[in-house]
Amino acid sequence: MTRGGPGRGPAVPDGAASPDRGPVTGEPVPGESVTGEPVSGKPAAGGAAAGGAAADSGCRILHVDMDAFYASVEIRDRPELAGRPVIVGATASRGVVLAASYEARAFGVHSAMPVTRARRLCPQAVFISPRHHVYAAVSKEVMEVFRSVTPEVEPLALDEAFLDVSGAIRRLGPPARIGALIRATIAEQQGITCSVGVASSKFIAKLASTHSKPDGLLVVPADGVLAFLHPLPVAALWGVGEQTGQVLARLGLRTVRDIAEIPVGTLQRELGLSLGAHLAALAWGRDERPVVSSTPEKSIGAEETFASDIDDPEVIRRELLRLSGRTARGLRSAGALARTVVIKLRLANFTTITRSRTLPEPTDVARTIYATACALYSAAGLDSRARLRLVGVRTSGLVPASRAATQLAFGERPAGWRDAERALDRISGRFGTDTVRPAALVTGQPDEPFPRLSAGSHFQAPDESARRPPGEPARRPPAESARRPPREG
Amino acid sequence: MKIQVERDVLAEAVAWTARALPARPAVPVLAGIRLQAAADLTLSSFDYDVSAQARVPVDAEEEGEALVSGRLLAEITRSLPARPVEITTDGARATLACGSATFTLLTMPTEDYPTLPEMPPPAGSIGSDAFASAVSQSATAAGRDDTLPALTGVRIEIEGETLTLVSTDRYRLAVRELRWTPARPDLSAAVLVPARALADTARALTAGAEVSIALALPGEEGAGGEGMIGFEGGGRRTTTRLLGGDFPRYESLLPKQVNAVAELATPSFAEAVKRVALVAERNTAVRLSFSAGQLVLEAGTGDEAQAEEVIDASFEGDDIQIAFNPQYLLDGLTALDSDITRVSFTESGKPALITGKPAPDEQPDFRYLLMPIRLGG
């Protein structure tokens, strides 16, 4: 494979060095286009732009990924850190590494590793607390650069995106040239480096950017996909995690070529119909997913890492209650209802379990989400001594609330939990989050006396609707009437 | 064993028996139908929850028994020409000859076959057609969600000469009352029977004139077939394990008084719902607006396709707008079995009661209670 770029550090090729460059323009950028035979393993000459036009034809997808994004931004702002191992991560007791400079990675530090472990591996590193607002601002400008190339930008995270450059080729030149332009512009504007993969599909483009890291560019020509892909280990395939990897290892499949060469039926028998078919397609480089320029919000959720591992189911349920409340608030403020509830349980040994259930009716009610989350937690069948490090509640399958219809069921009150929770949203909006919260989440002094109420005295009067004359609206929860006279509509 | 039997008689008896064959047998012998030839031929199947047995007249030259693959036997007898069938056994093989066709089937060891559950004591009887139509009406609202097993059943309530059959999936409720002949006039009981098995049974038992219902009631010492209900008629019998769990208290759901009543011609109402629902995507509603003399049906939203239809309706009471799941509504209209549909409302957030129009001074014997859909955020 071939790596472009003049080397480490901000890669600003000569032709891209005009100081006032704004959005990417069509200026020629010599020396950056990567061409030749990326699959041969021999680096091609950096200037062999003549062959580039052929090598990258049909490669209309770019994957652009910032190199060690948070760490790069910190080094940019504190140049004295350049060349030193830099680790960005919450410095609280249970923080994890969010980014590590390549100098730190040389010591085995990587993202998502506990900071305490990173400290042991690389004690001399500079540890920096994250400054999320700065990264978000840089990210926004980087995405603007992408959008100046093509409107077909699919951000995957703050620091990476897919671009479909089909429509920009006439204006800006072949895809490899466009990739080089983007790299140069970002290096110049933001003072950080990124890596670009250029290929005919999203899957290969992403692999290509990974293989060109850091500060590189790799073109995988359409007719070179298999030669590039087949020698890679199976873990390179999107969808192969630890478990699938173990199944494949048991079958003796180590490289992508191995997967490509066994019958689809065998894969499907071992991995299930859809995953089997999916891997077989990827192993032959088939990935038809288009670049989707504006991905609607796909899920809403919240998760919490405990300050110390928890094995008490009651504490875990209480945390699920709190997270369900946050999730439901998120749904309501997004004007969405969710069809599916997912819980995530991470054990002390970092094994992560996720369980999901699809509801008969989409919901934005914390109580429903909580009940489902608890049922999923019980059904996960954790050992009573299993210690949890993290719990999360997430909802997906979102539909706009305005278009959702709710099939009512017998025995439900017309003014139920949904109205009560929406009243709480209004209180929170006025008096601050958590002004009113479930009793289980009230943290006071343990010996502080507080009045005992009969359970749910306001919201649960079962015969309230029966006593009400027909046609009269349901009584609002007291919280609402205390605020202001009820409005119509 | 060596017997001769009419093809239609055999095919029907095998089809009846095959209904209790398990899809995935726990042990291989349960995939079999047991044939026992004496004066009659008795065919049996059993999957631990449901047992089925049929008895048909045959010319038996030689008594005996055999256990053969039920699925294969059912397919073969369905396809045979209309000629007498001869079944003989010889060691591990059974031979079935009919006209010019001969089949040789492997047999399984009959001694491994489990004993079928004993039939519980008879509780009463009812005309088979009346029973079948009542069951099919009342099973309309039964749930399909196996996580709520009690709602996948039909509750059969026996109160002297009245049978009440009820099902609900929490969104609708179907209640059918009918008369029967109890074995004892003071009989009082309530059991929960799996809805699918009950509906299949009731339909299949229309071959005989009467259905006898057999029930082991709690507290009746010494009676066999505890936790079972049995049905028998026309030489066929079946037992089904009763469902456990609590059935919701449904009586209080049925409205005591209503604010508005509409009456419509059932066929035109059902056709209009079907048409309008074409634009209602999955889980979306048909919206009904009742006012004097007419019903306006609407479905779809401004972003998508929309449909509207106006039909005649006699309507008394306060105008009402209410929305329903179109399939649930159609299920009710289909189950009614009446030319005129009466819909009674209290308010748009409360269930509507759908019945046929009863004769003057009579109560409708079938009631379908349907919860509405609440629209919008």
Side-chain angles (χ1 to χ4, degrees):
Chain A
M1 69 195 72
T2 315
R3 173 171 296 154
R8 302 288 181 274
V12 186
D14 297 344
S18 70
D20 57 349
R21 182 198 297 279
V24 174
T25 62
E27 292 170 51
V29 184
E32 180 81 359
S33 300
V34 173
T35 57
E37 300 293 327
V39 295
S40 70
K42 274 187 293 180
D56 64 1
S57 64
C59 294
R60 54 193 184 83
I61 312 275
L62 268 57
H63 179 252
V64 187
D65 195 1
M66 303 299 118
D67 301 324
F69 181 47
Y70 295 178
S72 300
V73 172
E74 295 299 338
I75 294 167
R76 175 196 71 179
D77 292 352
R78 294 167 62 183
E80 74 275 13
L81 298 179
R84 295 182 59 188
V86 172
I87 293 171
V88 179
T91 42
S93 62
R94 305 297 296 259
V96 293
V97 173
L98 298 173
S101 70
Y102 286 85
E103 289 80 1
R105 291 186 195 191
F107 291 89
V109 177
H110 57 77
S111 303
M113 169 184 283
V115 167
T116 46
R117 174 117 192 276
R119 265 187 216 284
R120 279 201 303 278
L121 287 171
C122 188
Q124 68 274 41
V126 181
F127 285 82
I128 299 175
S129 291
R131 298 181 298 155
H132 289 287
H133 61 283
V134 177
Y135 313 142
V138 175
S139 168
K140 202 172 155 215
E141 292 181 29
V142 166
M143 295 296 165
E144 278 311 305
V145 171
F146 297 164
R147 292 202 175 91
S148 73
V149 171
T150 168
E152 301 293 316
V153 176
E154 180 179 344
L156 294 180
L158 278 183
D159 60 341
E160 57 174 319
F162 284 116
L163 283 70
D164 183 335
V165 298
S166 314
I169 291 173
R170 275 189 66 154
R171 185 164 57 93
L172 299 173
R177 163 93 70 82
I178 295 174
L181 275 167
I182 290 172
R183 281 170 37 72
T185 309
I186 288 173
E188 185 184 299
Q189 276 189 359
Q190 305 298 332
I192 57 173
T193 64
C194 61
S195 299
V196 177
V198 182
S200 52
S201 67
K202 285 163 88 168
F203 164 59
I204 301 294
K206 178 147 183 162
L207 279 180
S209 74
T210 307
H211 276 260
S212 65
K213 271 185 168 301
D215 194 18
L217 183 150
L218 176 65
V219 179
V220 179
D223 59 3
V225 165
L226 297 183
F228 166 70
L229 183 61
H230 278 181
L232 297 176
V234 290
L237 294 182
W238 160 60
V240 178
E242 200 175 321
Q243 264 185 347
T244 308
Q246 282 171 6
V247 174
L248 295 173
R250 189 166 49 71
L251 295 174
L253 307 177
R254 317 228 168 261
T255 66
V256 176
R257 184 192 314 279
D258 295 339
I259 292 187
E261 285 175 355
I262 73 162
V264 184
T266 311
L267 277 180
Q268 289 181 320
R269 204 164 51 242
E270 294 292 332
L271 298 170
L273 283 182
S274 71
L275 183 58
H278 166 79
L279 292 189
L282 288 186
W284 286 104
R286 287 195 297 268
D287 174 19
E288 305 292 325
R289 292 173 301 155
V291 171
V292 182
S293 51
S294 65
T295 314
E297 203 164 23
K298 277 189 190 137
S299 72
I300 289 179
E303 58 184 49
E304 180 72 26
T305 305
F306 295 118
S308 61
D309 298 338
I310 301 290
D311 60 0
D312 181 352
E314 199 168 312
V315 177
I316 288 159
R317 286 206 183 86
R318 203 177 303 149
E319 193 56 38
L320 289 173
L321 174 62
R322 202 173 66 81
L323 296 171
S324 299
R326 266 167 66 185
T327 303
R329 269 203 301 284
L331 284 169
R332 290 191 297 264
S333 71
L337 300 179
R339 224 172 251 294
T340 303
V341 176
V342 189
I343 63 162
K344 176 159 138 190
L345 306 167
R346 179 166 294 154
L347 303 178
N349 65 5
F350 279 87
T351 309
T352 304
I353 299 167
T354 59
R355 293 284 183 273
S356 70
R357 180 170 297 169
T358 297
L359 305 167
E361 298 286 337
T363 188
D364 61 0
V365 177
R367 199 178 153 78
T368 309
I369 296 171
Y370 172 61
T372 311
C374 278
L376 288 169
Y377 169 59
S378 306
L382 286 186
D383 192 286
S384 60
R385 281 166 319 213
R387 299 174 67 78
L388 288 184
R389 181 185 170 85
L390 171 150
V391 296
V393 173
R394 195 161 55 77
T395 54
S396 58
L398 305 188
V399 290
S402 56
R403 260 201 284 152
T406 312
Q407 169 68 55
L408 303 174
F410 293 124
E412 280 178 342
R413 284 171 302 282
W417 284 99
R418 185 155 198 263
D419 298 292
E421 291 185 10
R422 292 217 272 175
L424 294 185
D425 287 348
R426 289 191 289 271
I427 295 172
S428 298
R430 197 173 155 96
F431 298 109
T433 314
D434 288 349
T435 312
V436 181
R437 59 196 132 153
L441 299 181
V442 175
T443 50
Q445 298 300 323
D447 51 354
E448 177 188 322
F450 50 86
R452 284 180 72 89
L453 295 174
S454 62
S457 52
H458 290 314
F459 300 157
Q460 287 200 335
D463 51 355
E464 182 196 314
S465 54
R467 276 190 273 110
R468 203 172 60 233
E472 187 177 305
R475 203 174 72 209
R476 308 236 172 192
E480 166 74 18
S481 48
R483 196 165 74 89
R484 63 164 84 138
R487 267 185 319 203
E488 280 307 307
Chain B
M1 174 163 82
K2 185 167 186 183
I3 54 170
Q4 270 212 349
V5 56
E6 286 303 315
R7 179 258 180 204
D8 289 350
V9 170
L10 179 68
E12 280 174 25
V14 170
W16 160 263
T17 313
R19 51 195 293 287
L21 288 173
R24 278 177 293 278
V27 289
V29 286
L30 293 185
I33 285 182
R34 184 177 57 181
L35 309 174
Q36 290 169 299
D40 293 328
L41 174 66
T42 305
L43 303 93
S44 313
S45 67
F46 186 39
D47 75 352
Y48 292 128
D49 283 332
V50 178
S51 79
Q53 207 167 71
R55 184 166 299 189
V56 292
V58 291
D59 289 335
E61 256 178 62
E62 193 185 315
E63 295 188 358
E65 62 177 0
L67 184 62
V68 296
S69 160
R71 194 185 49 79
L72 205 50
L73 186 62
E75 283 175 12
I76 291 170
T77 51
R78 236 197 335 264
S79 321
L80 289 177
R83 305 283 299 276
V85 183
E86 189 178 81
I87 302 176
T88 51
T89 54
D90 175 20
R93 287 172 198 286
T95 307
L96 188 151
C98 176
S100 50
T102 305
F103 295 87
T104 307
L105 304 175
L106 290 180
T107 63
M108 292 178 274
T110 48
E111 54 274 20
D112 293 350
Y113 199 74
T115 312
L116 262 59
E118 206 178 317
M119 197 73 172
S125 63
I126 184 169
S128 64
D129 288 331
F131 184 61
S133 80
V135 166
S136 121
Q137 283 182 311
S138 63
T140 306
R144 292 185 183 83
D145 181 358
D146 287 331
T147 62
L148 298 168
L151 299 187
T152 62
V154 171
R155 180 177 161 95
I156 302 183
E157 297 175 352
I158 300 169
E159 206 58 61
E161 292 190 346
T162 306
L163 278 185
T164 308
L165 310 182
V166 194
S167 73
T168 179
D169 60 4
R170 294 175 66 236
Y171 308 117
R172 58 245 174 94
L173 170 79
V175 185
R176 170 66 201 265
E177 285 174 18
L178 73 166
R179 315 281 284 172
W180 78 321
T181 315
R184 294 200 318 263
D186 62 339
L187 201 57
S188 172
V191 293
L192 199 52
V193 187
R196 276 252 298 281
L198 180 64
D200 288 351
T201 299
R203 215 176 303 125
L205 284 176
T206 50
E210 287 263 302
V211 177
S212 148
I213 300 178
L215 199 55
L217 299 171
E220 283 192 6
E221 306 269 320
E226 201 157 317
M228 298 269 185
I229 188 165
F231 300 92
E232 186 162 14
R236 299 167 179 191
R237 53 169 260 201
T238 179
T239 61
T240 301
R241 191 179 294 281
L242 296 172
L243 287 172
D246 288 332
F247 195 79
R249 298 180 55 82
Y250 66 91
E251 297 88 345
S252 61
L253 299 175
L254 293 160
K256 302 287 173 293
Q257 59 191 35
V258 297
N259 293 339
V261 176
E263 285 181 1
L264 308 96
T266 308
S268 59
F269 187 21
E271 279 160 26
V273 171
K274 261 185 226 160
R275 262 194 298 275
V276 169
L278 292 174
V279 302
E281 281 185 22
R282 195 174 71 89
N283 256 352
T284 59
V286 288
R287 305 182 293 276
L288 310 182
S289 308
F290 288 93
S291 54
Q294 70 170 30
L295 161 64
V296 182
L297 304 97
E298 293 168 281
T301 62
D303 309 349
E304 298 148 12
Q306 285 173 279
E308 186 188 302
E309 182 160 352
V310 184
I311 61 172
D312 293 337
S314 96
F315 183 72
E316 274 177 42
D318 306 333
D319 289 3
I320 189 164
Q321 297 188 322
I322 193 164
F324 294 113
N325 175 318
Q327 192 54 51
Y328 290 175
L329 181 56
L330 283 171
D331 287 348
L333 297 181
T334 310
L336 274 193
D337 192 25
S338 167
D339 293 340
I340 306 282
T341 297
R342 174 183 285 181
V343 192
S344 311
F345 306 96
T346 49
E347 56 183 278
S348 57
K350 293 282 176 62
L353 181 65
I354 298 174
T355 63
K357 184 183 183 178
D361 304 325
E362 271 188 36
Q363 289 295 314
D365 56 10
F366 176 63
R367 287 171 293 174
Y368 186 78
L369 190 68
L370 177 57
M371 278 304 275
I373 282 179
R374 182 180 56 205
L375 297 174

